[in-house]
Amino acid sequence: MEFTYSQKMGFIFGGAFVVAALVLSTIVFPFWNLIREDVFEEVIILNNDQGTCYVETKDMIPKKIQKCELQAGDKTTIKFGRGLAWATIVQP
């Protein structure tokens, strides 16, 4: 099977596009940025607003915890991804 000139150019363009996309995706937006490190921290509940708790962490990003049954002033351990604004309770 022999390819025409336009088919060959299409393959070359498509291949160059795939290679450029791979290079840019690893340089500009590395895959490991999608995987965040889990951080565990002991915090005090600042507020419980109808099942949504708010806490402050060492990274200075306030965290929101859904389906929270703790009250303001309760101490607990939370887990969150580094740089994210939501968390989950690990230990009440």
Side-chain angles (χ1 to χ4, degrees), residues 42-81:
E42 189 173 299
V43 295
I44 296 175
I45 302 295
L46 299 176
N47 186 22
N48 184 334
D49 184 22
Q50 299 177 358
T52 301
C53 291
Y54 297 91
V55 299
E56 190 170 318
T57 55
K58 291 179 185 173
D59 66 359
M60 302 304 290
I61 300 173
K63 305 294 186 258
K64 181 164 61 168
I65 304 167
Q66 300 290 338
K67 300 178 184 172
C68 177
E69 298 177 4
L70 300 174
Q71 299 304 314
D74 290 346
K75 195 179 271 192
T76 188
T77 301
I78 62 170
K79 176 178 90 168
F80 59 92

Side-chain angles (χ1 to χ4, degrees), residues 2-91:
E2 196 164 317
F3 296 105
T4 65
Y5 176 76
S6 62
Q7 288 174 326
K8 289 178 186 176
M9 292 307 291
F11 288 135
I12 291 171
F13 177 75
F17 182 76
V18 168
V19 168
L22 287 172
V23 168
L24 286 176
S25 68
T26 56
I27 292 173
V28 176
F29 187 74
F31 175 74
W32 50 86
N33 284 345
L34 295 174
I35 303 171
R36 297 188 184 266
E37 175 187 352
D38 283 339
V39 178
F40 295 86
E41 186 173 330
E42 189 173 299
V43 295
I44 296 175
I45 302 295
L46 299 176
N47 186 22
N48 184 334
D49 184 22
Q50 299 177 358
T52 301
C53 291
Y54 297 91
V55 299
E56 190 170 318
T57 55
K58 291 179 185 173
D59 66 359
M60 302 304 290
I61 300 173
K63 305 294 186 258
K64 181 164 61 168
I65 304 167
Q66 300 290 338
K67 300 178 184 172
C68 177
E69 298 177 4
L70 300 174
Q71 299 304 314
D74 290 346
K75 195 179 271 192
T76 188
T77 301
I78 62 170
K79 176 178 90 168
F80 59 92
R82 186 171 301 283
L84 297 179
W86 57 87
T88 57
I89 295 175
V90 177
Q91 175 186 341

